[in-house]
Amino acid sequence: LSQAGKLQLAKDAAELEEAVVAHLAPPEALGRPFRALRALRPLLFAGDGDLAAASQTAAQAMPAECVAVHLLSRAPPDVQSPMSRSGLTPSQFSAWLDEHNDAEALQSIKSAVEASPAEAKAAAVVPIILQLCTPS
């Protein structure tokens, strides 16, 4: 995700948050989806040194597979996502995620990362992804 893409996504999320709070309910009444939306922004802008902590914080507010998929966007191109590894389009991958439970999604992400070349797995983001995908 480019810096411009991150800024646009953060802007869109802030506008959505503002509209929801203004017209629907106070933030504390909106539950996990609203907390997930709020958790996205710090994750988007976390630097490499803060990425592990930001990922763990985000995973408390949103599904771990969402965090792991975001982290895949920070990985080297040789680290394939389950979507590209399976030849799925984004909409097909989204449907696949909807049809499978969290554990299956995380296993798919973990398998894709583990199938990457050794030099790609040396990227700092890879252990963070694998940690998110490993049941505790």
Side-chain angles (χ1 to χ4, degrees):
L1 194 56
S2 69
Q3 187 66 17
K6 290 177 189 179
L7 290 170
Q8 185 62 51
L9 188 53
K11 177 181 175 275
D12 292 348
E15 288 174 0
L16 177 60
E17 181 179 330
E18 185 179 316
V20 167
V21 170
H23 300 289
L24 292 178
E28 58 276 358
L30 297 172
R32 188 171 185 191
F34 192 74
R35 287 191 307 273
L37 178 64
R38 281 191 162 171
L40 179 63
R41 198 172 314 131
L43 182 60
L44 284 173
F45 297 103
D48 289 346
D50 302 324
L51 195 54
S55 297
Q56 290 302 320
T57 300
Q60 293 173 8
M62 66 175 68
E65 64 269 18
C66 293
V67 177
V69 168
H70 167 71
L71 294 177
L72 283 170
S73 73
R74 293 173 171 242
D78 288 344
V79 177
Q80 287 192 325
S81 70
M83 180 183 80
S84 61
R85 188 169 181 230
S86 302
L88 299 174
T89 65
S91 61
Q92 290 170 323
F93 184 61
S94 179
W96 185 91
L97 286 172
D98 289 343
E99 294 166 3
H100 292 80
N101 65 39
D102 295 350
E104 291 169 325
L106 289 170
Q107 182 56 48
S108 177
I109 294 165
K110 183 177 181 180
S111 295
V113 171
E114 288 176 337
S116 302
E119 59 275 2
K121 288 193 275 190
V125 71
V126 170
I128 301 169
I129 296 169
L130 293 175
Q131 181 181 11
L132 283 168
C133 294
T134 303
S136 46

